[in-house]
Amino acid sequence: QSDSLNLRVNTYMHHHLEEENKAIKLIFRDAIASSENNLREIESFFNRIHYPIPQGFTEHDVNIDTPKLFSDHLCLKYLHEMTIHGLSGYSVALTVSTCGEMRKFYEDKIHDTIKLYNQTIDVLLEKGLYHRPPYLPIPVGIDFIKTENFFDGFFSDRRTLNGQEISNVFFNLKKSIITKALITGFCQVATSKEAQKILKKALGIKQKHIDLFSRILTKDLLLAPPLWDSDVTDSTVPPFSDKLIMYLTGFLFGTAIAYYGAGLGTTMRSDLVLNYEQFILEDLKFAEDWTDLMIKNQWLEQPPKATDRKKL
């Protein structure tokens, strides 16, 4: 499902890239070829064991001849973010696989995605589009925590953010900014009133998270990355089906929950703990509404499940 979605979105984006952005076009060409190869391998696995092939997303879920919705630079940022998700997903899949053939498959995909990740970040750096996390001064020597209020974040004398906290806040902020820009475009082109209502709710949640993450950084005089909303065109012609739009939106919220959890697990300041817990709960509440809409429209394929022995 993920590879078929990537193939449709990347094909659309590649079709609309400007000719002068040859480096970006080459990266998208590699991404499309990778998805096509992955789908062939996956279908081969399924056919060999006579397993039904998921429908995923087809040519009916995209219309590449519609007007351009995202700038070339936003497309590149999107692809960069998706390589991060790919690396995380393939790494987890490798660690829960037993079959040697599957472990080799995921190992190969990790190598392919690392190559794609490096390509995207190199071009982003070259074009001045990659916003680096804040630099930290090198410690004078080894030190140890001496006061109990190290974990306190609710009072005026709270300590500044440490390296892990900055990294996670900055990373989650960048992801939220790209997610909001994408959903801004989706809001313009979604055809269903129900889908538009859910997407507007998603925009409100992401804007709230962006505002709070930005304030957390600026309180310590750390620079927050800029928004990408202006890189969405004014097109209202839908290039994607509502099914694809909603699936991708749900995917982005699902990964946000996972990364918020990672931030929660490494933070040592109580106010940040509360922020992450609040964000996770808000995204989970959104996921409930999203799931209801997906099930109502028959947009969610049933994943494999255990045998229900009670019904035998």
Side-chain angles (χ1 to χ4, degrees), residues 163-187:
Q164 281 185 315
E165 291 161 350
I166 292 172
S167 294
N168 279 297
V169 168
F170 194 84
F171 176 81
N172 280 302
L173 175 54
K174 288 207 301 182
K175 280 187 79 291
S176 296
I177 286 170
I178 297 302
T179 296
K180 179 174 179 281
L182 292 168
I183 296 175
T184 297
F186 293 160
C187 263

Side-chain angles (χ1 to χ4, degrees), residues 105-124:
F105 171 80
Y106 288 124
E107 181 184 348
D108 291 342
K109 300 312 141 194
I110 289 171
H111 288 307
D112 293 343
T113 310
I114 288 173
K115 178 183 175 183
L116 200 58
Y117 171 84
N118 285 329
Q119 287 176 313
T120 57
I121 201 170
D122 285 344
V123 175
L124 286 168

Side-chain angles (χ1 to χ4, degrees), residues 65 80 90 160 166 195 213 251 312:
D65 294 322
H80 175 69
Y90 287 138
T160 56
I166 292 172
F213 277 136
F251 170 81
L312 294 180

Side-chain angles (χ1 to χ4, degrees), residues 26-40:
L26 285 173
I27 295 173
F28 268 88
R29 196 175 302 166
D30 287 347
I32 291 168
S34 179
S35 290
E36 290 174 336
N37 182 63
N38 292 352
L39 286 170
R40 282 192 295 269

Side-chain angles (χ1 to χ4, degrees), residues 30 208 248:
D30 287 347
K208 178 181 177 181
L248 182 52

Side-chain angles (χ1 to χ4, degrees), residues 58-295:
T58 70
E59 64 275 5
H60 299 296
D61 291 300
V62 62
N63 181 1
I64 64 172
D65 294 322
T66 54
K68 186 173 186 172
L69 186 59
F70 304 115
S71 75
D72 292 7
H73 292 166
L74 180 53
C75 289
L76 180 60
K77 285 289 291 184
Y78 162 80
L79 184 58
H80 175 69
E81 295 297 326
M82 293 303 282
T83 61
I84 295 173
H85 299 320
L87 285 171
S88 299
Y90 287 138
S91 298
V92 172
L94 175 64
T95 60
V96 298
S97 295
T98 304
C99 172
E101 187 178 26
M102 293 311 304
R103 283 185 279 117
K104 181 64 169 64
F105 171 80
Y106 288 124
E107 181 184 348
D108 291 342
K109 300 312 141 194
I110 289 171
H111 288 307
D112 293 343
T113 310
I114 288 173
K115 178 183 175 183
L116 200 58
Y117 171 84
N118 285 329
Q119 287 176 313
T120 57
I121 201 170
D122 285 344
V123 175
L124 286 168
L125 286 167
E126 178 187 324
K127 293 181 175 293
L129 299 171
Y130 188 85
H131 298 93
R132 299 174 184 269
Y135 289 100
L136 299 181
I138 298 174
V140 178
I142 297 173
D143 200 3
F144 294 89
I145 298 171
K146 299 181 179 66
T147 60
E148 292 182 2
N149 70 355
F150 184 86
F151 299 95
D152 197 352
F154 293 106
F155 301 101
S156 58
D157 62 342
R158 63 187 172 198
R159 62 167 175 79
T160 56
L161 299 167
N162 65 33
Q164 281 185 315
E165 291 161 350
I166 292 172
S167 294
N168 279 297
V169 168
F170 194 84
F171 176 81
N172 280 302
L173 175 54
K174 288 207 301 182
K175 280 187 79 291
S176 296
I177 286 170
I178 297 302
T179 296
K180 179 174 179 281
L182 292 168
I183 296 175
T184 297
F186 293 160
C187 263
Q188 294 176 189
V189 299
T191 58
S192 159
K193 294 290 185 183
E194 291 177 305
Q196 288 181 351
K197 182 180 178 181
I198 295 286
L199 290 168
K200 287 177 182 176
K201 184 179 292 186
L203 277 179
I205 293 170
K206 284 302 145 188
Q207 184 61 62
K208 178 181 177 181
H209 295 184
I210 289 168
D211 290 343
L212 187 48
F213 277 136
S214 297
R215 285 201 299 272
I216 290 169
L217 290 175
T218 54
K219 279 181 180 178
D220 280 353
L221 304 181
L222 302 172
L223 190 63
L227 296 175
W228 281 81
D229 297 5
S230 60
D231 280 69
V232 181
T233 73
D234 60 358
S235 174
T236 57
V237 183
F240 308 117
S241 67
D242 284 357
K243 170 188 171 182
L244 186 150
I245 286 173
M246 294 308 301
Y247 185 94
L248 182 52
T249 300
F251 170 81
L252 293 171
F253 266 75
T255 56
I257 292 171
Y259 288 119
Y260 289 163
L264 174 62
T266 57
T267 190
M268 297 181 181
R269 231 173 64 177
S270 53
D271 60 324
L272 293 184
V273 169
L274 187 62
N275 292 149
Y276 279 122
E277 289 176 344
Q278 179 185 343
F279 289 173
I280 291 170
L281 288 174
E282 288 173 347
D283 281 6
L284 285 171
K285 182 63 177 71
F286 171 83
E288 289 182 21
D289 297 334
W290 175 87
T291 303
D292 290 342
L293 179 65
M294 296 293 285
I295 292 174

